[in-house]
Amino acid sequence: MTLAEALTNQLPVTQAEIPPLDNGDCLNQYEFERRYHAMPHVKKAELIEGVVYMPSPLRFHSHAKPHLLFNTWLGVYFAGTPGVEAGDNPTVRLDLDNQPQPDAVLRLSKGGSSSISDDDYIEGSPELIAEIAASTASYDLHQKKNAYRRNGVQEYIVWEMFENRLLWFRLSAGEYIEMAPDEQGIIRSVVFPGLWLDVPALLQGNLGAVLAAVQLGINSQEHGEFVQRISG
């Protein structure tokens, strides 16, 4: 039998032969992605430390609304900061055991620690990742946080919905250090100068005050110097 005949007689692999993706599966990144692609009806699944997590359906007040607040805040910074990219719910190929789908990311377009693959996924570690933690809080603050720390995500923000508190971690000497608001309730990003967050306003759902604070950050001298630096 010739090679051409062997290929002709070879049965194609059908989608039915690919095992379904189930919550709790232990997989590597390649098998996770193969199964995920074969289930286009699944909107969100994550591989965290080699384990598959498939969150429950998303509620309005505990996820959809705060998700919009977060992404509007990051979107304003993105609009005012050439050389920076923001993304909503992207798949991130971190390593062989981790392929999360964070609620929001902020990354340097060039010269950062992540890149965009030929098939349009983030590969490597975005400089900043933000998560809305309601039903996912148990692993957002444990397994996922550890994976982000180990892969060098510089800043990690978690909005715990049931406690209505915001945690902003900065990577320092290989460990995450929690950043505290100043006397005005503002947290200022270290890796993205000018990214200012009015924490009390965010927790109260006051989007206008949140956007006013980040606009002040964009107008600051440190932000201007940052834009010049990354543009150069």
Side-chain angles (χ1 to χ4, degrees), residues 28-210:
N28 63 33
Q29 185 195 71
Y30 301 113
E31 182 62 16
F32 168 78
E33 198 164 303
R34 185 175 80 106
R35 297 189 190 187
Y36 198 175
H37 280 306
M39 300 174 68
H41 61 283
V42 175
K43 302 304 180 186
K44 183 162 186 173
E46 301 185 291
L47 183 70
I48 308 298
E49 302 291 43
V51 178
V52 175
Y53 291 86
M54 301 175 72
S56 58
L58 302 178
R59 293 177 169 85
F60 182 76
H61 287 293
S62 62
H63 192 97
K65 184 177 178 180
H67 183 93
L68 177 66
L69 295 179
F70 246 158
N71 282 285
T72 303
W73 167 62
L74 289 175
V76 169
Y77 183 80
F78 161 57
T81 313
V84 165
E85 289 184 321
D88 177 353
N89 221 34
T91 290
V92 179
R93 292 169 173 160
L94 275 181
D95 60 32
L96 289 176
D97 291 321
N98 290 281
Q99 189 161 311
Q101 196 172 327
D103 290 311
V105 303
L106 200 61
R107 61 181 295 271
L108 295 173
S109 303
K110 297 179 180 179
S113 53
S114 67
S115 60
I116 305 300
S117 67
D118 291 339
D119 54 350
D120 202 28
Y121 291 104
I122 295 177
E123 294 185 340
S125 303
E127 280 70 28
L128 183 147
I129 287 179
E131 300 278 12
I132 306 295
S135 61
T136 61
S138 60
Y139 66 96
D140 281 341
L141 286 169
H142 296 91
Q143 296 95 324
K144 188 181 287 186
K145 179 184 173 186
N146 188 57
Y148 290 161
R149 178 195 59 79
R150 195 176 64 249
N151 280 279
V153 174
Q154 294 298 307
E155 294 186 356
Y156 179 38
I157 306 173
V158 181
W159 187 355
E160 287 189 284
M161 296 311 303
F162 295 141
E163 293 81 6
N164 196 28
R165 67 170 179 164
L166 184 119
L167 304 172
W168 190 326
F169 301 100
R170 177 174 63 87
L171 193 64
S172 177
E175 298 294 337
Y176 273 141
I177 307 300
E178 185 177 347
M179 297 170 63
D182 64 16
E183 58 274 10
Q184 282 82 41
I186 306 294
I187 296 181
R188 293 169 170 82
S189 172
V190 174
V191 69
F192 289 107
L195 182 62
W196 297 359
L197 179 60
D198 186 330
V199 176
L202 180 74
L203 298 181
Q204 294 164 13
N206 186 347
L207 181 58
V210 170

